C-alpha cells in the first residue's frame, strides 16, 4: 500500500523477502546491543525476528509537504482507533511540521496509517485537501539510503488526482532502548527529589503503586536484587534490569497503571511497548497531539478540543480519550478569550494513573491514600526548607505569562522558602473589589478557574462526576441545613501558579469553622470529572459559615489537595468580615 | 486546592456568563473581587 512512494518496491519472493525484511529491519533498528550486554533486550529482539513480523514502537515523523497552493496546513495521522495531529504550519505551499509520534505496531494490530492534510480555516471547518495510506511495516523494512520517504497526496474526491507530496520518516526503536526509557519514565514518578535514583522509601512507594501484593510483600528483597552495586539506591539502569528480570520470572505489574488494561504475561515485549506508550502520553515528550478518534475530529482544532474536554470528561473508555488534557482550556473573563492552562506532564501522568481508571482508584485502597498524604507531608517539609527557595525562579519562569511579579507585595528576594512565595500577598489594590459599597453583590473568592451552578444537580450534570457527591456530603452533618438544598454552588479551583490566598465573597459574621478530616486527592478536573473519585466529599476540608444580611447563610468550604493540603484561616469565629477581606490561604503540606 | 461556596436556595442570582460557561463544562478564569452575582432578596425588593 502507499501511493506513489518515491522509492522502489521491495522485491517479492517469500523466503528471500522474509530474509530481506529481517536484514533491513536490522538496519533500521538502532541497535546498541554491544553497549548493553543484557539478555532480556536481546531475547526480545530475537523474538521479533523469529516471528518474522514486527511488534514494537515505530517513530513516525511528518517532516514537510509540498502543496499546490498557499495556506496554513495541518496533518493528521490515523492508525487503528487513534488519530494524532500536527501543529498548524505557516501560510505557505511548503508546510514544515517536523512532528513526531511514537506508534505501537503490534503483530496482529493495525499497521496501515492514513495521513490526511487539511487547509485550515478560522471561521469554518478545516478542509481535507489530500491524503495517502501507508503500510508502516513496508516503510520500515524498505531498503534505501534516504532518511525520508515521499508519498503522493491524493484528492479525496478523485484518487487519480495528485494534490501534493508528503515527506515523512519512520524508524523503529531498539527494544532495549524502549525498556530503558520506560524504566526512566517510571522511575521519575516516584523520584521525589529528582536525582534520577530511588531510595528504598521511593522504591517502596513505586512497588506499592504497581498494586501487586506479592511484590509489595517482598520489597526489601526486590530492592536488594535491584541494587546491584549495593550503594543503597536504585538507578534507572538497575530498575530496568530488575523489571526485565522480574518480567521473565514473575511480573511486577499485572495491569497497566495508566489505562488499567490487563497485561498479558505471555506477551512481554508488547507489555513493555504498551506501558511505554501509555506513560509517554500527555507528557509533552511527543510533538503530535492525540486523543482524537478520527482525523475529522482532529481537524476541528480549537473548538473540538473544547468539546473534547467537555464531552469526554467521564473517561469511560480509558484515559487515552483525553490524552491532550495536559492542556485544559479555560475562558478568561477579563480578556474574553479561551486560554490554555498548562499542566506539567508528570503531574498529568500521575493523575491519570490514579484517578481515571477503576484500577487506579482501586490502588487507593491499597495504600495510595496514605501515599498521597505522605507525599504531601514530605513536600510540605521540603517547601519549608531554605533550599526550596531555589525553586522560585524556575517556577516563575515556567509560569511567566501567568504570574505578574509587579502585583506581588514583596520582591522575590524577600521569600526565604518556596512556601513563603506560594502564599505570597499582593499589593493593596491589586485586586479591585466589585461594587465595594454594595453588600448585596457577591464577589469571587480567589484567583482561580471558576465553575458556577444554580444547583447541585446542575453541577453533577456538567462537572462533578463523583457518584457520591451531595451538598450534605460536602458540608458534613455539623453545618448542613435544609436551606442549602438546591442552593447555588460555586467552585473556585486554584492552579499552582495562582495567588493562593482566598477572600471573603460576602460581608457578614463568621459563625463557625468545622474541620472535616479526609484524603488529599487532586482537585484537578481529571479527578473531579472521574466517576470513580469523590474529591469534594472525601478530601480534607474546613467548612465555614458566614451569616449575612443579604444572602442568608453562606457556606465556604476550603478543600485541601495533593501537595497543597495545609489550610490556614486569618479570621476567627464571631469576627465580622467585609467582602474582599482575606480569609485564609493554602500552602504546601499534608 | 479549591474553595466551594454554597448559597441557600434562591439567595443569589449568579452572573450569566459564569453560568453559561459552566453549562458548557468550561471553567472561567477569574480574579479575587470580580463580580459573582447579586442577592435575589434585593432584586425581588427592587422588582416589587
Amino acid at each position: 500500500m502507499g501511493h506513489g512512494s518515491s522509492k522502489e518496491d521491495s522485491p517479492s519472493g517469500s523466503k528471500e523477502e522474509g530474509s530481506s525484511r529481517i536484514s533491513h529491519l536490522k538496519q533500521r533498528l538502532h541497535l546498541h546491543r554491544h553497549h548493553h550486554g543484557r539478555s532480556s533486550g536481546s531475547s526480545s529482539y530475537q523474538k521479533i525476528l523469529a516471528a518474522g513480523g514486527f511488534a514494537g514502537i515505530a517513530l513516525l515523523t511528518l517532516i514537510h509537504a509540498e502543496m499546490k497552493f498557499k495556506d496554513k496546513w495541518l496533518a493528521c495521522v490515523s492508525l487503528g482507533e487513534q488519530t494524532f495531529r500536527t501543529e498548524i504550519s505557516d501560510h505557505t505551499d511548503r508546510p514544515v511540521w517536523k512532528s513526531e509520534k511514537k506508534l505501537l505496531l503490534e503483530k496482529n494490530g493495525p499497521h496501515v496509517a492514513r495521513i490526511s492534510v487539511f487547509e485550515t480555516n478560522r471561521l469554518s471547518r478545516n478542509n481535507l485537501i489530500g491524503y495517502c495510506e501507508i503500510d508502516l511495516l513496508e516503510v520500515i523494512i524498505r531498503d534505501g539510503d534516504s532518511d525520508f520517504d515521499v508519498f503522493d497526496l491524493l484528492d479525496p474526491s478523485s484518487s487519480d488526482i495528485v494534490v501534493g507530496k508528503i515527506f515523512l520518516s519512520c524508524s523503529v526503536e531498539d527494544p532495549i532502548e524502549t525498556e530503558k526509557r520506560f524504566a526512566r519514565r517510571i522511575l521519575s514518578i516516584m523520584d521525589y527529589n529528582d536525582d534520577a535514583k530511588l531510595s528504598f522509601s521511593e522504591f517502596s512507594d513505586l512497588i506499592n503503586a504497581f498494586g501487586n501484593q506479592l511484590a509489595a510483600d517482598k520489597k526489601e528483597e526486590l530492592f536488594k536484587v535491584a541494587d546491584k552495586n549495593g550503594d543503597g539506591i536504585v538507578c534507572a539502569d538497575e530498575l530496568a534490569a530488575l523489571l526485565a528480570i522480574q518480567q521473565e520470572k514473575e511480573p511486577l505489574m499485572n495491569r497497566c497503571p495508566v489505562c488499567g488494561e490487563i497485561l498479558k504475561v505471555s506477551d512481554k515485549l508488547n507489555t513493555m511497548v504498551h506501558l511505554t506508550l501509555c506513560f509517554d502520553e500527555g507528557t509533552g515528550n511527543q510533538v503530535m497531539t492525540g486523543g482524537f478518534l478520527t482525523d475529522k475530529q482532529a481537524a476541528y482544532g480549537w473548538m473540538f478540543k473544547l468539546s473534547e474536554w467537555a464531552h469526554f470528561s467521564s473517561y469511560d473508555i480509558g484515559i487515552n480519550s483525553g490524552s491532550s488534557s495536559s492542556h485544559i482550556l479555560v475562558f478568561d473573563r477579563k480578556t474574553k478569550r479561551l486560554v490554555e492552562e498548562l499542566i506539567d506532564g508528570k503531574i498529568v501522568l500521575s493523575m491519570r494513573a490514579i484517578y481515571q481508571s477503576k484500577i487506579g482508584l482501586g490502588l487507593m485502597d491499597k495504600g495510595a491514600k496514605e501515599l498521597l498524604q505522605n507525599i504531601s507531608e514530605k513536600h510540605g517539609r521540603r517547601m519549608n526548607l531554605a533550599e526550596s527557595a531555589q525553586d522560585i525562579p524556575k517556577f516563575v519562569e515556567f509560569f511567566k505569562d501567568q504570574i505578574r511579579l509587579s502585583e506581588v507585595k514583596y520582591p522575590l528576594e524577600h521569600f526565604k522558602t518556596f512556601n513563603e512565595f506560594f502564599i505570597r500577598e499582593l499589593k493593596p489594590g491589586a485586586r479591585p473589589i466589585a461594587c465595594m459599597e454594595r453588600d448585596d453583590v457577591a464577589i469571587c473568592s480567589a484567583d482561580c478557574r471558576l465553575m458556577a451552578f444554580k444547583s447541585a444537580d446542575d453541577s453533577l450534570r456538567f462537572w462533578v462526576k463523583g457518584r457520591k457527591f451531595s451538598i450534605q456530603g460536602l458540608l458534613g452533618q455539623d453545618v448542613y441545613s435544609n436551606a442549602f438544598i438546591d442552593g447555588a454552588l460555586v467552585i473556585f479551583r486554584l492552579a499552582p501558579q495562582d495567588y493562593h490566598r482566598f477572600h471573603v465573597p460576602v460581608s457578614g459574621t463568621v459563625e463557625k469553622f468545622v474541620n472535616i478530616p479526609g484524603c488529599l486527592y487532586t482537585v484537578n478536573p481529571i479527578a473531579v470529572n472521574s466517576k470513580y473519585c469523590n474529591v469534594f466529599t472525601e478530601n480534607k476540608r474546613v467548612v465555614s459559615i458566614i451569616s449575612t444580611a443579604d444572602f442568608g447563610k453562606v457556606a465556604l468550604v476550603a478543600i485541601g489537595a495533593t501537595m497543597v493540603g495545609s489550610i490556614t484561616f486569618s479570621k476567627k469565629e464571631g469576627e465580622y468580615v467585609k467582602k474582599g477581606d482575606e480569609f485564609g490561604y493554602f500552602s504546601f503540606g499534608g | 486546592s479549591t474553595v466551594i461556596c454554597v448559597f441557600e436556595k434562591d439567595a443569589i442570582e449568579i452572573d450569566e456568563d459564569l453560568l453559561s460557561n459552566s453549562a458548557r463544562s468550561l471553567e472561567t478564569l477569574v480574579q479575587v473581587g470580580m463580580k459573582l452575582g447579586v442577592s435575589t432578596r434585593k432584586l425581588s425588593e427592587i422588582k416589587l
Side-chain angles (χ1 to χ4, degrees), chain A residues 18-54:
Chain A
S19 136
S20 165
R21 280 167 72 108
I22 290 168
S23 75
H24 294 150
L25 179 55
K26 270 184 184 171
Q27 286 170 4
R28 286 255 175 165
L29 277 163
H30 307 299
L31 290 176
H32 306 286
R33 276 189 296 155
H34 51 284
H35 295 305
H36 318 276
R38 299 212 323 275
S39 60
S40 63
S42 308
S43 72
S44 303
Y45 175 66
Q46 291 301 334
K47 202 171 185 183
I48 303 171
L49 300 181
F54 174 71

Side-chain angles (χ1 to χ4, degrees), chain A residues 468-502:
Chain A
K468 294 178 191 164
F469 179 75
S470 68
I471 296 292
Q472 194 166 0
L474 172 73
L475 301 181
Q477 292 297 343
D478 288 352
V479 296
Y480 178 74
S481 84
N482 287 339
F484 288 120
I485 294 179
D486 290 331
L489 184 78
V490 185
I491 302 168
F492 303 93
R493 178 174 69 88
L494 285 73
Q497 66 273 28
D498 287 333
Y499 162 63
H500 257 72
R501 291 174 182 256
F502 50 90

Side-chain angles (χ1 to χ4, degrees), chain A residues 550-563:
Chain A
D550 295 277
F551 297 93
K553 287 188 196 306
V554 176
L556 193 135
V557 190
I559 302 176
T562 316
M563 307 288 190

Side-chain angles (χ1 to χ4, degrees), chain A residues 71 93 103 126 129 146 153 178 194 229 235 263 266 311 341 390 435 465 487 513 585:
Chain A
D71 207 309
D93 55 356
L103 300 166
N126 303 320
I129 299 299
S146 174
L153 291 169
T178 302
D194 288 331
N229 59 6
C235 67
L263 303 170
S266 59
H311 300 306
E341 179 186 331
Q390 294 167 1
C435 309
K465 296 297 173 191
F513 293 102
Y585 57 84

Side-chain angles (χ1 to χ4, degrees), chain A residues 331 333 450 492-493 550, chain B residues 3-4 27-29 35 39:
Chain A
F331 185 83
R333 198 186 201 191
L450 173 148
F492 303 93
R493 178 174 69 88
D550 295 277
Chain B
V3 175
I4 297 186
E27 292 177 299
T28 310
L29 198 62
K35 186 165 161 272
S39 161

Side-chain angles (χ1 to χ4, degrees), chain A residues 519-521 523 539-541 558-562 564-565 567 586, chain B residues 1-2:
Chain A
C519 322
L520 285 174
Y521 294 133
V523 289
N539 267 26
K540 166 189 179 177
R541 57 202 184 276
I559 302 176
T562 316
V564 191
I567 307 165
F586 296 102
Chain B
S1 27
T2 284

